Amino acid sequence: MALSHVVGYPRIGTRRELKRATEAYWDGKVSREELLETARTLRLEAWTRMRDAGIALIPSNTFSLYDQVLDTTAMVGAVPARYRQPLEADVDLDTYFAMGRGAQTDGLDVTAMEMTKWFDTNYHYIVPELGPESTFRLASRKPLDEYLEARAAGIETVPVLVGPLTYLLQGKSPDAEGFDRLSLLPSLLPVYVEMLGLLRDAGAAWVQFDEPVLVEDRTPAELEALTRAYTTLAGAAGSTKLLVETYFGDVDESFFALANLPVAGIGLDLHRGQRNLEQLRKHGLPGGKFLAAGVVDGRNVWINNLEASLKLLGELGELVGPDRVIVSTSCSTMHAPIELERENRLDAEVRSWLAFANQKVDEVGTLAQALEDRNAVADALAANAAALESRRTSPRTNNAEVRARVAATTEADYRRHGNVIERRSAQRARLGLPAFPTTTIGSFPQTSELREARAALADKELTEEQYERVIEEEIERVVRLQEQLDIDVLVHGEPERNDMVEYFGERLAGFTFTRFGWVQSYGSRYVKPPIVFGDVARPEAMTVRWSTYAQSLTARPMKGMLTGPVTILNWSFVRDDQPRAETCRQIALAIRDEVVDLEAAGIKVIQIDEPALREGLPLRQSDWTGYLAWAVPCFRLSASGVRDDTQIHTHMCYADFNDIIEAISDLDADVISIENSRSDAELLEAFRDFKYDKEIGPGVYDIHSPRVPPSEEMGGRLREAMKVLDPDLVWVNPDCGLKTRRYEETVPALEHMVAAARELRAAL
Ligand code: GLN
Ligand code: ZN
């Protein structure tokens, strides 16, 4: 039977067990033992599910209590000094969580490590902090422990490690600008060798090293480092086979270095990676290597075209040898929801087009079986063909009116009337704000009462009217609080929103949403991305009711809050049967209608969040302009239907924006609030060379940490920012929305923020 393999598997549990357990542990409500017990149960469930689907190479160590890159930091003992990790001991659980989320306890007041997006996904990893002083030692045996745990349960697994090249290159060197992290390879490798030795001695048949950095632009020096690393590792592998796995696209110039590594197998993404196939056609694979052929899309929700995959696998068999092909996913399935079976409220037709992680695992199993004996899976193949045909021909994927409207847009629809200077003076006259205006990013803490009310509404224990009362009361509370705090531009707090994309997805035609389709965003924060299956339209206003209610409570300007088209696109599972740009333009027109309605209802400031603009960037720089050429105009299409004296804000966070600062400027938003504290003011670099001529609020404190910084620290951030920004254009705001925080932390933090703004005004 052909080998089957899954690159990685979701860790959060079908019922979000991991979230509950970690959060309860942080709150002191469950013990360390209870948390670890939940983790064990989740791992066993995952392995069992894959074994039952007939998967031969089942990944282990893809479980994580917080993040797999943070796990690697713990494994190699690269704990930054501020966490006061004892030099000999293994990294303990509380140090681990302190690195992930910061800590404020008796002995320790530390910020979290930086977090940023994992390639072009909406998953955030904890960025390794690496510098000339970094040293490494084996400080966690998690990969071995989990391998042995599976073995004890009778399941043979493939331990998965973040590869050394990816670990170093995905790190940052905050205190050593320009430091060549690859120079750390010689001191890092011995730790990998030690871990590999433990796995080898424990009897692991395969060990997988994830090297997704190979789908990004790589220099010859980096590729040499790759060869050095795996030559060393291969020397320590004994009879254990090494699999170097790549995903999220084409390996292009890395192909030769990768294909010639002295390892048993390599993994290629053959879903997105169309050029990968070309290279295999041209060059094959040297030395009888195994090819983990990523034919099942690991990160979207659409069923595989099984016949097409079989044909491809047949061709790959000819190229590399039939017994060398391993049927696999294109990447870890951790970016997809887990189980479709439970989605009993999805429309049956749409549902037949979908495959979540478990269904993908089954698809891999089916394909491997079909390679041996088609007849054994004839039913599955027939059902798959029927579902594909229904999707192709369904009238639900085609709305003529929407298509006509997109086709009829003209250049003028993509531009504001006045230029930024004209708009600024009109807006200043209308809004009358002080210097260094204060605002927040939109959401206020999501209290348990709110969550309970939402659940009660879903269970019909609250009527629509009762629920709306709860929301109104919450809005009123948030408005009064902001007035008390003396914030200048208020928000309604977004209490009616479960999630900034899901909320809109639920109100737009062409979208559907799941009940349990959670995907990890970072740590214990999960999102439930909507699914765009058809043409997008806005049947009715989505936010006007709440924004106007909030505005009616106060004389201060109330900011209308929307999620931008590019972010809605990038944080949804998007149909793959038309170009993404086309889907994005449809969403942009729907948001534009909302913007225009808000303005007509008397809202003077409207924020269109685009935190996901950057993550839509193709991983290779050469493809960037193509993406920005439609993404930036889509934002403008959504924002340009308003008068000059209506102030358009946007917001971005948790990514490196420095290299697309011109595109950000091209959005032509009057004001941008942008995360700046969690990433330690790295952002400001961008403004040294680039003169930003619109208003900007660089975040003055990290909202992902329960830590409350003193107002001097926030003031310091602002002073630092004003070295490169025009003080006349500076706003004062947190890094991002406050919904993951508690009021205990939020109120003092905002007090400090307003105090910092006052202090600056006084100094002016
Ligand atoms: N307006 C959103 C909020 O405050 C923005 C969140 C985000 O940038 N991710 O929650
Ligand atoms: Zn944000």
Side-chain angles (χ1 to χ4, degrees), residues 734-757:
D735 266 0
C736 187
L738 304 168
K739 77 167 153 210
T740 58
R741 292 270 59 83
R742 292 187 270 205
Y743 275 101
E744 293 99 280
E745 306 132 16
T746 298
V747 172
L750 291 178
E751 275 167 4
H752 295 179
M753 183 185 91
V754 172

Side-chain angles (χ1 to χ4, degrees), residues 406 409-416 585 588-589 592 630 632-640 666-668:
V406 171
T409 55
T410 66
E411 189 48 36
D413 296 323
Y414 290 84
R415 300 256 165 225
R416 299 284 297 272
R585 281 190 278 271
L589 284 173
R592 180 186 179 98
W630 58 260
V632 169
C634 276
F635 176 88
R636 288 205 309 258
L637 181 60
S638 72
S640 296
D666 280 348
L667 296 175
D668 202 26

Side-chain angles (χ1 to χ4, degrees), residues 643-657:
R643 305 192 310 249
D644 281 356
D645 64 356
T646 295
Q647 188 171 64
I648 297 287
H649 289 222
T650 189
H651 164 72
M652 289 179 197
C653 49
Y654 310 111
D656 300 324
F657 292 112

Side-chain angles (χ1 to χ4, degrees), residues 440-444 494 497 500 561-563 571 607 609 611 651-654 735-739:
T440 61
I441 309 305
S443 57
F444 266 68
E494 305 179 18
R497 300 184 193 176
M500 66 185 289
M561 302 299 311
L562 302 173
T563 304
W571 286 355
Q607 178 168 313
D609 292 328
H651 164 72
M652 289 179 197
C653 49
Y654 310 111
D735 266 0
C736 187
L738 304 168
K739 77 167 153 210

